[in-house]
Amino acid sequence: MQIDVLSLFPEMFEGVFGSSILKKAQEKDAVSLKVTDFRAFSGNKHNQVDDYPYGGGAGMVLKPEPLFRAVESVRDDQKTPRIILMCPQGERYTQAKAEELAKEEHLIFLCGHYEGYDERIREFLVTDEISIGDFVLTGGELAAMTVIDSVVRLLPEVLGNKQSHIGDSFSTGLLEHPQYTRPVEFEGMMVPEVLRSGDHAKIDEWRKKESLYRTWSRRPDLLTDYVLTEKEQQWIKEFVTRKNLDS
């Protein structure tokens, strides 16, 4: 996969792209990561990439020319890129979107600053607008890093264990079940007996039930479109009973 980032602050990506899974992914040639300073495409002697908004108002707006030119400079004629605008007005980012983007050959991320973008960038340049949450950041860089990390880890051969991401929170529509490791006992706190039983069928059922409970208790909104099996419906009845007894 080829990933290009257009930013006014390319130095922000050095530590992230040069560390951990993203570094290993590049070493394995699973992904090519490149950051381009789109100020170089301003086309004026002052390298100005923003201007005052028509109609008045506070703040400055990113001009269309630098971003259109920068995108053209990183396009690969052999690939059709997804051009992603990081923006608080965009579609809220989900694991499903990460899995969708992980199937693409070329992603181009646009990271803005200032008050916003010239609307022609939205209308005629980008294919996707993504928001990582209902809050506003200084710029799109941190949001782009988040999306890129979540996409790259899904690429084949990137994670050491090919199954590592399958049980992640949100991958199944539910939050991930609790995890334990050695020691069995720590300051009186024990690893659940079922996980030490060696009975893989019981362990699998325990994990599914705990995953559902964690989702039901912490993120019930995720269950709105989740299709419950008969067993899962019974488990939820047990959860309700447990909650009523505890209250």
Side-chain angles (χ1 to χ4, degrees):
M1 173 184 277
Q2 177 182 344
I3 296 180
D4 284 281
V5 181
L6 306 183
S7 168
L8 295 174
F9 302 94
E11 66 277 5
M12 291 180 65
F13 292 85
E14 293 175 4
V16 174
F17 285 3
S19 306
S20 189
I21 294 299
L22 293 182
K23 179 182 179 182
K24 293 178 181 177
Q26 293 173 85
E27 292 173 346
K28 293 179 179 179
D29 293 324
V31 66
S32 169
L33 299 173
K34 182 182 178 183
V35 187
T36 299
D37 186 346
F38 64 85
R39 192 180 296 278
F41 298 87
S42 64
N44 60 76
K45 64 180 181 180
H46 300 295
N47 291 326
Q48 183 180 358
V49 296
D50 62 322
D51 211 332
Y52 295 103
Y54 274 113
M60 304 289 279
V61 176
L62 283 172
K63 295 161 61 67
E65 308 100 301
L67 282 169
F68 273 81
R69 292 168 182 161
V71 166
E72 194 59 35
S73 75
V74 300
R75 274 186 190 274
D76 186 329
D77 292 337
Q78 305 302 315
K79 303 172 184 177
T80 301
R82 291 280 286 273
I83 304 173
I84 302 165
L85 187 72
M86 303 309 303
C87 174
Q89 299 175 32
E91 166 191 356
R92 182 180 288 191
Y93 193 57
T94 63
Q95 185 67 20
K97 189 70 172 183
E99 293 170 359
E100 175 189 328
L101 295 178
K103 299 174 183 177
E104 298 291 334
E105 290 186 287
H106 189 192
L107 303 177
I108 301 176
F109 289 84
L110 278 54
C111 303
H113 265 69
Y114 312 115
E115 187 63 26
Y117 303 91
D118 184 291
E119 190 65 18
R120 288 165 289 189
I121 295 169
R122 299 180 191 277
E123 292 186 25
F124 302 107
L125 182 61
V126 306
T127 60
D128 302 80
E129 293 185 46
I130 289 179
S131 167
I132 62 169
D134 296 338
F135 52 89
V136 179
L137 297 170
T138 303
E141 284 77 12
L142 294 174
M145 293 176 200
T146 300
V147 175
I148 291 168
D149 182 274
S150 67
V151 168
V152 171
R153 67 188 302 276
L154 296 177
L155 300 179
E157 309 302 329
V158 169
L159 296 180
N161 183 339
K162 294 181 180 179
Q163 303 298 313
S164 291
H165 65 79
I166 294 177
D168 286 345
S169 291
F170 309 112
S171 290
T172 62
L174 303 176
L175 300 182
E176 189 176 10
H177 55 76
Q179 298 274 19
Y180 295 86
T181 188
R182 293 178 177 82
V184 170
E185 184 272 335
F186 172 67
E187 296 186 357
M189 297 175 283
M190 301 293 296
V191 173
E193 177 66 30
V194 65
L195 298 179
R196 297 178 277 133
S197 68
D199 188 326
H200 295 291
K202 287 185 177 179
I203 291 172
D204 184 57
E205 181 173 275
W206 180 88
R207 286 174 169 168
K208 289 178 179 177
K209 187 174 183 178
E210 289 300 314
S211 176
L212 180 62
Y213 176 72
R214 183 160 284 188
T215 306
W216 176 82
S217 61
R218 299 184 182 187
R219 289 291 307 278
D221 57 294
L222 295 177
L223 297 178
T224 302
D225 298 318
Y226 183 82
V227 180
L228 295 165
T229 64
E230 288 187 14
K231 178 170 283 189
E232 289 171 331
Q233 292 176 30
Q234 183 59 44
W235 286 344
I236 287 182
K237 290 179 182 179
E238 294 177 21
F239 302 157
V240 173
T241 300
R242 184 196 311 180
K243 182 179 180 181
N244 290 337
L245 290 174
D246 291 341
S247 61

